């Protein structure tokens, strides 16, 4: 049958029959082609949210394979990649031999070609839906974005990764809350000379906007994508680049800055004098040598006294969530090698410089707390309750004269 001759009611009835469900398809892809293979297919995208068992990669795929209207295999594997296991439907190809064995079904170059053609067509279809039917696509994305992101991680083909990445949607620092943009839309608004797509991972928009890592980029009016799901930064870390633009976390951008902020002119008139700043850096490095790998003056902060940076923040956070229970505190800091970057303009840092000589005990508690705060902001502290002891000591010493 020609795609245009099939009524929606017929699609709904057929979808319910093959999927054994009572919902309706959100999208229908009725696809026919004679090249590079002869394919007649009807593919459905569910309207309801995926169930718990459907999220598992062990779930059977929902597409059956036919040749000349003869069933080869119901719920045939390898017809679509695993990340598209939520798609339901049937595929009929006259190029598939009737005597195709189970082994050939898994390893046949013909099946691989069929899978590539179908995957490419599905990606093109979803990209088209995302532009023509924005509201419906965003509802689909809300329910099935995890599958899309799984496709980026599991797909080995770089071109296919980028095609899948066109389906991603994120909020950004330059858009209103709730407004989602694509990676191509981000690139369209790149500033002159900008070669990176910047992103920031945080549990919420409020925390993202208040992040110390965002301050310098916002001041330069550089757009930053906001990622609210814990797995998002691993997805973007895996993607690495998009259309020849590097995907860079704002934490990495801060750490990679090679500018040496050592002269008084660079630090500015409202900052600590360079000599005092250098003395403070040396003092902190001595007091925090068991935790901090290095200390650096930065001019990229405004309202925050300090930040912590590590070489790969996303990988570090993932490592702490999965492996930190096997390591003691000294081992964790040895592996992380955190760098403490201090803001010489901040009142707390200025006061700390004088306290380091007038009241070393209080100063040490203050710098310990500043480091702990920065580690919490960086997402490198699994249980914030571990820093309460130092807070109580600091309060006790601060209130001694009152």
């Amino acid at each position: 049958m020609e795609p245009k001759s099939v009524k929606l009611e017929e699609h709904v009835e057929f979808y319910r029959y093959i999927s054994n469900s009572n919902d309706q398809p959100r999208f229908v892809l009725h696809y026919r082609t004679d090249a590079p293979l002869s394919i007649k297919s009807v593919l459905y995208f569910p309207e309801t949210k995926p169930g718990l068992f459907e999220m598992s990669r062990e779930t059977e795929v929902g597409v059956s394979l036919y040749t000349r209207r003869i069933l080869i295999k119901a719920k045939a594997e390898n017809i679509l990649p695993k990340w598209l296991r939520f798609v339901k439907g049937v595929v009929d190809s006259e190029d598939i031999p009737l005597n195709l064995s189970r082994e050939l079904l898994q390893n046949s170059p013909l099946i691989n070609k069929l899978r590539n053609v179908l995957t490419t067509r599905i990606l093109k279809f979803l990209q088209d839906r995302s532009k023509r039917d924005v509201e419906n696509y965003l509802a689909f994305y809300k329910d099935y974005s995890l599958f899309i992101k799984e496709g980026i991680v599991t797909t080995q083909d770089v071109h296919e990764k980028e095609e899948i990445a066109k389906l991603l949607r994120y909020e950004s620092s330059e858009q209103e809350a709730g407004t989602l943009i694509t990676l191509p839309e981000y690139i369209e608004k790149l500033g002159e000379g900008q070669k990176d797509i910047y992103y920031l991972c945080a549990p919420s928009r409020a925390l993202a906007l208040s992040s110390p890592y965002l301050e310098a980029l916002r001041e330069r009016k550089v757009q930053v994508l906001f990622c609210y799901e814990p797995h998002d930064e691993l997805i973007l870390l895996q993607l690495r680049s998009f259309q020849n633009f590097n995907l860079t976390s704002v934490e990495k951008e801060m750490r990679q800055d090679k500018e040496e902020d050592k002269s008084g002119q660079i630090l500015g008139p409202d900052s600590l004098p360079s000599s005092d700043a250098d003395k403070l850096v040396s003092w902190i490095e001595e007091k925090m040598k068991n935790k901090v790998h290095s200390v650096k003056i930065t001019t990229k902060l405004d309202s925050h006294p300090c930040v912590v940076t590590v070489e790969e923040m996303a990988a570090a956070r993932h490592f702490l969530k999965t492996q930190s229970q096997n390591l003691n505190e000294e081992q964790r800091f040895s592996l992380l090698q955190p760098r403490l970057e201090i803001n010489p303009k901040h009142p707390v840092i200025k006061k700390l410089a004088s306290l380091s000589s007038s009241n070393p005990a209080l100063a040490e508690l203050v710098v310990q707390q500043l480091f702990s705060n920065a580690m919490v902001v960086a997402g490198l502290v699994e249980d914030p309750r571990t820093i309460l002891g130092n807070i109580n000591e600091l309060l006790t010493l601060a209130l001694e004269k009152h």
Side-chain angles (χ1 to χ4, degrees), residues 65 77 98 111 231 233-234 293 308 324 327 334:
L65 177 64
E77 294 182 4
L98 281 168
I111 294 297
H231 53 257
E233 59 183 346
L234 294 178
H293 183 258
V308 162
S324 65
L327 304 172
S334 177

Side-chain angles (χ1 to χ4, degrees), residues 123-141:
L123 287 171
K124 183 179 178 183
F125 173 79
L126 287 175
Q127 290 166 10
D128 181 66
R129 290 295 90 194
S130 71
K131 296 173 183 176
R132 297 191 181 192
D133 192 0
V134 176
E135 185 177 347
N136 235 343
Y137 175 76
L138 290 178
F140 161 79
Y141 182 79

Side-chain angles (χ1 to χ4, degrees), residues 252-262 266 296-300 311 339 341:
K252 187 172 184 178
E253 187 273 339
M254 176 171 278
R255 186 176 177 88
Q256 285 182 335
D257 180 40
K258 295 180 173 59
E259 181 181 333
E260 291 295 332
D261 302 328
K262 291 196 174 179
I266 293 177
K296 175 180 178 257
I297 295 292
T298 181
T299 58
K300 301 180 81 170
E311 194 59 44
R339 182 170 74 193
E341 304 194 15

Side-chain angles (χ1 to χ4, degrees), residues 29-48:
L29 172 56
H30 198 160
Y31 173 53
R32 297 184 64 173
T33 185
D34 294 321
L37 293 173
S38 173
I39 299 173
K40 299 181 183 71
S41 64
V42 182
L43 302 172
Y44 299 106
F45 300 77
E47 187 177 50
T48 55

Side-chain angles (χ1 to χ4, degrees), residues 172-173 200 202 204-212 214-215 218 226:
S172 85
S173 57
L200 169 62
S204 67
R205 183 178 182 88
L207 289 175
L209 288 172
S210 63
S211 171
L214 185 65
E215 284 188 343
R218 287 196 78 184
F226 292 157

